[in-house]
Each structure stands twice: as structure tokens, then as C-alpha cells.
Amino acid sequence: MNYNFSDRISGVPRSFIREILKVAADPSFISFAGGLPNKDFFPLKEIEEAAAKVLKNDGKTALQYSITEGYLPLRKYIANRYKIKKGISVSPEHILITSGSQQGLDLMGKIFINEGDNVLLEEPGYLGAIQAFSIFKAKFIAVPLVEEGMDIELMRNALLKARFKLFYAVPNFQNPSGISYSEENRHEVARLISNAGTVMIEDDPYGELRFLGTEKTSFKKMLPNQVIMLGTFSKIVAPAFRIGWIVAPDEVFEKLVIAKQAADLHTNYIGQRIIYQYLIDNDIDAHISKITEAYGKQRETMVKAIGTYFPDDINITLPEGGMFLWMTLPQGVSSITLFNKCIEKKVAFVPGSPFYTNKGDVNTLRLNFSCSDEKTIEEGIKRIAEALKSK
Ligand SMILES: Cc1ncc(COP(=O)(O)O)c(C=O)c1O
């Protein structure tokens, strides 16, 4: 059969990371390639109890179709948490529950991007956003990340040269780099996008996973009408629920609701009910503290092991939270070549190239530290360092 696929899908590659995950499925493999939260922290018993309670007390309603915007008590809970945790005042009326924050990216692409529209990204950038916006034939311009956030000079130049429909950023513990924007960098970036009138997507799946440093000002707080914020329960409760949200002002919210209705009517309603029940019956802050304490130790172990086994001419980021760190190999050393050698040694990471929009072979790579215990981290890092030293 000669399938005549749309132009929209034809140029978009499969996620490289999902492909690597298949290779690393062998249990003797050490994988720093995934982007998964640690399953040991899934609150299994509590979710079982929450599910039983919802089904027993209100099962027939909970299994019915529901409204596109999402379960109102859950939206109120999220609004209240923004107020308490970040000092941001958002109305539950401006929160749309989505099928993971990934759907938020798809919906934003649908309502904003025409073919050829400019989208400003961080470099390296989140692969899922590159993939979501590629479907709408966006033209990407990526500005490098530096230690303290966006490279301000290069961002200013990019904004002077072109008009952008969207600026997409992950200011807290970015995927893939682990970088967080400093307070000063945030204010400078906010000033630039405010002057340019560009809509910003502030994606914050990792913000609550801080193990070092202090909370920084959200872009949503600085520019409430210009910033669309994405959030998710994937990293603090469990990703299988596929429950995230978008915070957007009235006009944008209305368009998002139309796009969401067309996509899937509403997010899994029973899942929303169970997660809400779980949240009100349990101490989520205590749960998050357990996760961050463990991730902090894992990150420490990885940084130490890199210091022990790697030569001095590599560079790494030192994340204050989240699940990833980013390594830069010496100039001219290919991370794809290193990856292939590492596969033989049964250890995996993600080579940097898929996180760039226009670069092939690069000397950077992403390491995930949230899913391996400390002994495994040490062993895996040792194997990568040996592979790097081998000719
Ligand atoms: C930066 C970023 N945004 C969005 C997502 C999607 O998360 P979810 O759809 O599970 O909410 C991820 C997942 O890894 C991510 O790293």
C-alpha cells in the first residue's frame, strides 16, 4: 500500500531516546539514558487507597465523561499550591488539565504555530518540545544556555533579527542540561521578551525537585499575561497518570480548550479524581522531600564518580535539582562514537545531538541520575570513563 502521509508528519523523526531505551532494556545494562522518575518512590499503597475510595464513594460519576477544562477541585488545588509555593496568584479558571505537560506543548503548537513561524528555543533544548513543534513546521532558532541561564547577548541579537511566535524554556533544572536560570538572568530574559512581545512557554516539570539552592522567581510571576506555564504530576507523583496542566490567560485559554476538545475531549477523568484524592489524603511535601533527598545523593555520587574516573578536560553542569546532568567532552570528541563504545560495555547515556535543532555530531551528552542506585552510578560512570580513554 502506498500511504500518502501528510507533510506535517513526514519530516519528524521518532524520539531517539525511546529508541535508546529499547537497547537499554536488557537488565544487565546500566542506563543513564532514560528520563524516568525513580519508580521506588511511586506511592503505590496510597494510590491504591485513593483509587478504592473514589470508586467506592463516587464511582459512577468518576467513570463518566467530564468537562474539557478538568476536575475543578484539582484545578483549585493546583492554584492554591502556586500561591503557597511560588507566591503566584492564578485562578483555577485559567488552569486547563492536560494529558501530561507534553499535550500542553502540542496544544500550544496547534493554536500558535503556522508553517515557517519562528520559535526560540534553548540550546540544548527539550527533545519533546522540538518534536511537538516540528509537527507544525516551526522554524527553530536556538540560543545557547550558559551556566546561569540564557546567553543574554545572543538572545538579544536573535530577537533583534527576527520576530518570534513563541519562546520555549525550562528555567528550572532543564532537560537535558540540568541548568537553572539565575535570578538576574531571569529578569534580563523577562525584559527581552517583554520588549519583543513574544509569548513565552515556561515549562516547569522539575521545579519541585530542588535539592540545593533556593527557589527563584517564576516568569509567570514577572509577566503574567505573556507567559503560559506548564506543570505536571509526572515527576512528583507518577507519570502513568498522564496528568499535567497549562496556566493561560482568558483569550489563550479559550483557544486551548477548543484545541483540546478536538484532540481528546478531556483528560482521563478517573485519573484526575484519583490523583486529587491522593493529594488531599497525603502529605505531598513530605513525599517530595523523600524524592529530592534521594536524587540529591544520587547526583552527588555521580558528580564524585565523574571527578574520580574522568580526565580533567571534560566539563559538567552541577544541577541544583531535577534528574539530569550534562557533560561536555573535549573539543572534537564525538559523543555518538563514545555512545557506541559504551553500548559494548553495557552502559548507556543520550548523546547530545538530538537536543540540537541543527547540529549532527557533537561533544555533549546527557546523564540521568534518578534511576540508578549509588553503586550502579559509580560502576556506570567508571565504564563510560574507560570507554572514553580507549582508542
Ligand atoms: C522539559 C519537559 N517537559 C515536559 C515533559 C513531559 O512530561 P509529562 O507529559 O509527563 O508531563 C518532560 C518529560 O520528561 C520534560 O522533561
Side-chain angles (χ1 to χ4, degrees), residues 100-102 126 168 170 175 203 205-206 232 234-235 242:
S101 46
Q102 189 64 32
Y126 170 52
Y168 169 77
V170 186
N175 180 3
D203 188 5
Y206 305 104
T232 181
S234 289
K235 309 298 193 289
R242 309 305 305 124

Side-chain angles (χ1 to χ4, degrees), residues 18 35 99-103 105 126 129 168 170 174-175 203-206 230-235 239 242-245 323-324 366:
R18 308 255 163 252
S99 198
S101 46
Q102 189 64 32
Q103 186 183 42
L105 295 171
Y126 170 52
Y168 169 77
V170 186
Q174 195 241 15
N175 180 3
D203 188 5
D204 192 26
Y206 305 104
L230 305 187
T232 181
F233 289 111
S234 289
K235 309 298 193 289
R242 309 305 305 124
I243 295 179
W245 62 88
M323 309 188 333
F324 306 106
R366 188 189 79 177

